Amino acid sequence: MTAARPTALPVVQFHSRAGCVDLGWGHPHPAALPVDAWAEATHSALRRYGAAALTYGYAAGPGPLIEWLCERLAEVDAGPPEPAQVFVTGGASHALDLVAALLCRPGDVVLVDSPTYHLALRIVADHRVEMVPAPADEDGLDPTATAELIRAIIRRGRRVAMLYLVPTFNNPTGRSLPNERRSALLAVAARSGVPVVEDDTYRELAYPAPAPASLFSGAEPGTVVRIGSFAKSVAPGLRLGWLTAAPSLVAAVTARGYVDSGGGVNHTAALALAEFAASGAYRRHVEAIRVRYRRQRDALVAAVRAELPQAEFVVPDGGWFLWLRLPHPYGGTELLPHAEAAGVSYVPGRQFFVADAGHSYLRLSYSMCDPETLVEGVRRLAGAYRAAGLSERSTPLPG
Ligand SMILES: Cc1ncc(COP(=O)(O)O)c(C=O)c1O
């Protein structure tokens, strides 16, 4: 291998800070990225498809990837989409941006689960809509109260463009919406006409598998758009994901000017992924990372139980996150500077809410660190908790 060209410009999004155990980032463990198998898949795609691998791709994504994805979703979900219901995207973020571009008009209301993936809030906000939290409790989004809220918003003369949630292994809570609520939410979507955007990014990271059936698989046609990603199951740098939706929505995405001009999104990487899948590497890889992330989850859970028994949490059945609630109403917000000073970091719960809420919570990610590092991170966090004196103070701070 030749040496990398020296550059003063960054190569990657995240660099670990010296001396800091960073439990903030939802990034894969470096050893879980399939470098050699991906090199093989890329060669294989180039050998098999030749120039067709390097030219503009078919608008909805290359056929071999779409067909395999439908087969895979038949295995890991309650039912597969039809190929005409699939569009390959540049990751789930891109899928959400595309869907929002199609469904939202400036000034619309978009309902979002609370808490929900904080960076999805950024993507939705780009579309100049008003985000309103959908009513939720410990079990997740409350469909009955959400239906009432939709009616109230419409009575005020506003349009509700869509409802966004991560019903399976939610980021940040790790929890999945119970089945009765899934059915009730599908009924609300069908009755109200408000499209549900289901972020299914963590489906493959189920410990133990299988994940619950998606909303999409049980929905009336045209009521749910589901977005997915290969960022967690293979590698985020690929920028590959997908959406499944009514063929009319797929056709509308396909007709967008930049697809018309540029062809299918990330065509060469998409063909390499099709090879990665066809060779069996995808299946082996997902089985291996399930074992890894489950071990990392268990290490973090055990460490929090031992070192920080004041924290309440539910052990997640999948995903990458542990969602802790501290007894102090501002615990998650106030602890952060103490934690950083002690050499550990996390994302404060407030960031996952549209409203000014969630200050008692914090999100720890177990994806990026070995079990020993997770244990050390929690040891530091517990030290910071004692240093902050949060257990002694029960009165909330102002604001
Ligand atoms: C719920 C959720 N959706 C989407 C994403 C982003 O996915 P992608 O990298 O495919 O854009 C993430 C990444 O953290 C996520 O947690």
Side-chain angles (χ1 to χ4, degrees):
M1 204 194 286
T2 52
R5 178 194 159 102
T7 169
L9 298 174
V11 173
V12 297
Q13 187 183 39
F14 170 76
H15 280 287
S16 48
R17 286 177 280 163
C20 179
V21 176
D22 202 325
L23 305 180
W25 290 82
H27 286 196
H29 194 292
L33 293 172
V35 176
D36 293 336
W38 189 259
E40 180 46 42
T42 306
H43 283 135
S44 175
L46 290 169
R47 281 194 302 266
R48 190 183 307 279
Y49 297 102
L54 291 177
T55 191
Y56 290 106
Y58 180 64
L65 180 61
I66 290 183
E67 280 170 4
W68 166 78
L69 180 63
C70 292
E71 286 165 20
R72 180 72 186 173
L73 288 171
E75 286 175 38
V76 298
D77 194 5
E82 295 294 324
Q85 294 177 301
V86 180
F87 183 87
V88 175
T89 68
S93 309
H94 179 223
L96 179 58
D97 196 51
L98 278 174
V99 171
L102 284 176
L103 298 181
C104 301
R105 299 196 293 253
D108 281 349
V109 170
V110 169
L111 296 178
V112 293
D113 197 5
S114 3
T116 198
Y117 174 45
H118 57 324
L119 302 180
L121 301 176
R122 296 274 319 279
I123 296 170
V124 173
D126 283 346
H127 296 272
R128 292 185 289 153
V129 293
E130 182 190 350
M131 277 181 288
V132 173
D137 58 23
E138 290 294 297
D139 285 332
L141 186 134
D142 176 344
T144 309
T146 299
E148 280 165 27
L149 178 63
I150 291 172
R151 282 194 293 273
I153 293 170
I154 292 171
R155 270 201 303 276
R156 291 202 296 273
R158 303 287 299 280
R159 181 173 173 271
V160 183
M162 62 186 215
L163 161 59
Y164 169 83
L165 79 165
V166 189
T168 302
F169 313 136
N170 186 19
N171 177 359
T173 65
R175 299 194 64 182
S176 297
L177 196 66
N179 283 337
E180 324 76 73
R181 291 201 182 191
R182 286 177 189 249
S183 318
L185 180 58
L186 291 177
V188 171
R191 267 200 316 272
S192 67
V194 173
V196 169
V197 178
E198 171 182 32
D199 187 334
D200 209 11
T201 288
Y202 291 98
R203 166 158 305 278
E204 291 279 24
L205 299 184
Y207 338 113
S214 68
L215 294 171
F216 180 82
S217 66
E220 303 234 339
T223 57
V224 174
V225 180
R226 180 247 307 262
I227 66 179
S229 178
F230 295 109
K232 317 296 171 179
S233 54
V234 185
L238 304 179
R239 303 317 302 137
L240 273 180
W242 41 273
L243 60 83
T244 63
S248 57
L249 189 133
V250 170
V253 178
T254 307
R256 288 185 72 77
Y258 88 87
V259 180
D260 201 18
S261 166
V265 177
N266 285 347
H267 170 64
T268 307
L271 274 179
L273 186 55
E275 290 294 299
F276 189 74
S279 70
Y282 179 91
R283 183 184 295 279
R284 285 193 298 278
H285 179 68
V286 167
E287 278 164 15
I289 62 172
R290 278 185 189 148
V291 172
R292 166 183 286 279
Y293 292 128
R294 181 183 188 152
R295 217 160 49 88
Q296 291 173 202
R297 175 202 65 184
D298 291 347
L300 185 65
V301 163
V304 173
R305 283 192 177 135
E307 299 276 349
L308 198 55
Q310 301 85 345
E312 285 176 21
F313 62 92
V314 175
V315 178
D317 290 331
W320 278 354
F321 308 107
L322 203 60
W323 180 237
L324 304 187
R325 182 164 170 272
L326 297 177
H328 191 280
Y330 284 79
T333 302
E334 274 203 33
L335 180 58
L336 188 59
H338 299 275
E340 298 244 333
V344 59
S345 194
Y346 62 83
V347 184
R350 167 69 186 90
Q351 294 197 19
F352 301 92
F353 292 82
V354 172
D356 186 20
H359 287 281
S360 59
Y361 291 91
L362 54 145
R363 189 196 75 176
L364 303 183
S365 169
Y366 49 84
S367 57
M368 214 173 55
C369 303
D370 288 325
E372 310 75 60
T373 311
L374 292 167
V375 169
E376 172 59 18
V378 175
R379 204 187 54 74
R380 294 181 189 184
L381 194 65
Y385 184 77
R386 286 189 294 273
L390 285 167
S391 45
E392 286 86 60
R393 279 193 289 120
S394 56
T395 40
L397 294 180

